[in-house]
């Protein structure tokens, strides 16, 4: 005759024990992921960035609209090397893209469609008076609202955002490069009122562009 074993059935105890171990492992992985994000992504030395109050740049979408930063500087997905100072902002397809700073349009690519790894991209590039170049990427097919040679004002709508090129979601990729120095350059936005004007991944920001 078997003996009665007090307490919960062995199988139920084993399942709950395994679930507890799995939960601990998931928390450890989450902690490791957050630590890796803090160490390997995001702005490293804010002393390299111009003070937000002195920045000539405003967020590249319409005033009063709030967008999520889905990848910041030194982003773990693609913002490395020459593009380490780039930003990605989530935008539904067809959203207005506004000039972050006044300048002259020097490049427009508008005929590509579709997205995927190494897929060709659409873009608008604006040269500022100091020679720096602002690039607006992943523009919707035929979504540019300007032509090469146009002079654009800060806040002017220059394109419709899209999901074209090397893109995992509808978004706008924005960076500024300096041909004299090579690669992208650190920049802040005058209308970003926290984080020293430097957008961080997974934070939302409201534009003051065009007010």
């Amino acid at each position: 005759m078997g003996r009665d074993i007090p307490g919960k059935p062995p199988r139920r105890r084993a399942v709950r024990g395994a679930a507890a171990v799995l939960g601990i492992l998931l928390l450890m992985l989450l902690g490791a992921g957050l630590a890796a994000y803090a160490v390997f992504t995001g702005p490293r030395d804010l002393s390299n960035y111009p003070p937000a109050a002195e920045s000539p740049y405003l967020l590249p979408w319409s005033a009063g609209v709030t967008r999520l930063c889905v990848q910041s500087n030194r982003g773990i997905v693609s913002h490395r090397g020459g593009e380490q100072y780039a930003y990605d902002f989530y935008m539904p397809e067809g959203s207005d893209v506004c000039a972050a700073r006044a300048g002259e349009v020097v490049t427009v690519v508008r005929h590509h469609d579709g997205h995927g790894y190494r897929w060709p991209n659409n873009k608008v590039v604006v040269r500022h008076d100091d020679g720096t170049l602002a690039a607006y990427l992943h523009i919707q097919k035929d979504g540019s609202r300007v032509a090469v040679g146009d002079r654009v004002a800060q806040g002017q709508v220059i394109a419709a955002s899209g999901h074209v090129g090397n893109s995992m979601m509808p978004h706008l990729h924005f960076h500024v490069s300096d041909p004299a120095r090579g690669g992208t350059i650190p920049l802040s936005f005058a209308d970003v009122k926290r984080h020293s004007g430097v957008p961080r991944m997974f934070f939302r920001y409201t534009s003051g562009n065009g007010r």
Side-chain angles (χ1 to χ4, degrees):
M1 178 181 289
R3 294 181 301 168
D4 291 333
I5 300 177
K8 298 176 182 177
R11 179 174 295 179
R12 185 176 298 175
R13 290 200 304 270
V15 169
R16 292 196 175 183
V21 171
L22 180 60
I24 292 171
L25 288 174
L26 288 175
L27 287 174
M28 291 174 64
L29 287 172
L30 177 61
L34 291 174
Y37 165 74
V39 172
F40 296 113
T41 76
R44 175 177 290 172
D45 184 0
L46 289 177
S47 66
N48 291 330
Y49 292 75
E54 301 174 9
S55 174
Y57 297 96
L58 296 174
L59 291 168
W61 59 86
S62 301
V65 176
T66 301
R67 302 288 187 204
L68 176 70
C69 179
V70 293
Q71 189 177 191
S72 184
N73 299 167
R74 299 173 59 244
I76 201 166
V77 177
S78 60
H79 294 172
R80 294 286 171 169
E83 291 194 352
Q84 65 173 316
Y85 293 114
Y87 298 95
D88 286 343
F89 299 101
Y90 174 77
M91 285 190 182
E93 293 184 62
S95 299
D96 286 344
V97 176
C98 300
R101 182 180 175 184
E104 180 184 349
V105 178
V106 294
T107 302
V108 174
V109 179
R110 58 182 298 168
H111 61 279
H112 296 301
D113 199 7
H115 56 271
Y117 181 62
R118 293 188 176 179
W119 204 272
N121 212 335
N122 293 329
K123 61 183 176 180
V124 173
V125 179
V126 176
R127 182 172 58 217
H128 309 127
D129 291 342
D130 61 0
T132 57
L133 300 169
Y136 305 77
L137 277 64
H138 308 299
I139 302 303
Q140 196 173 55
K141 182 182 179 183
D142 297 324
S144 60
R145 303 288 184 262
V146 291
V148 172
D150 287 352
R151 181 77 187 180
V152 297
Q154 186 176 58
Q156 179 179 335
V157 176
I158 60 174
S161 66
H163 185 16
V164 177
N166 186 13
S167 173
M168 295 187 294
M169 68 180 76
H171 74 285
L172 174 71
H173 171 108
F174 176 79
H175 70 249
V176 175
S177 60
D178 185 349
R181 295 165 55 181
T184 56
I185 59 175
L187 66 114
S188 56
F189 295 89
D191 51 349
V192 171
K193 303 305 182 184
R194 52 181 172 167
H195 302 144
S196 300
V198 181
R200 303 297 181 97
M201 187 175 179
F202 300 142
F203 285 88
R204 295 165 62 86
Y205 300 94
T206 301
S207 173
N209 200 347
R211 285 182 174 166

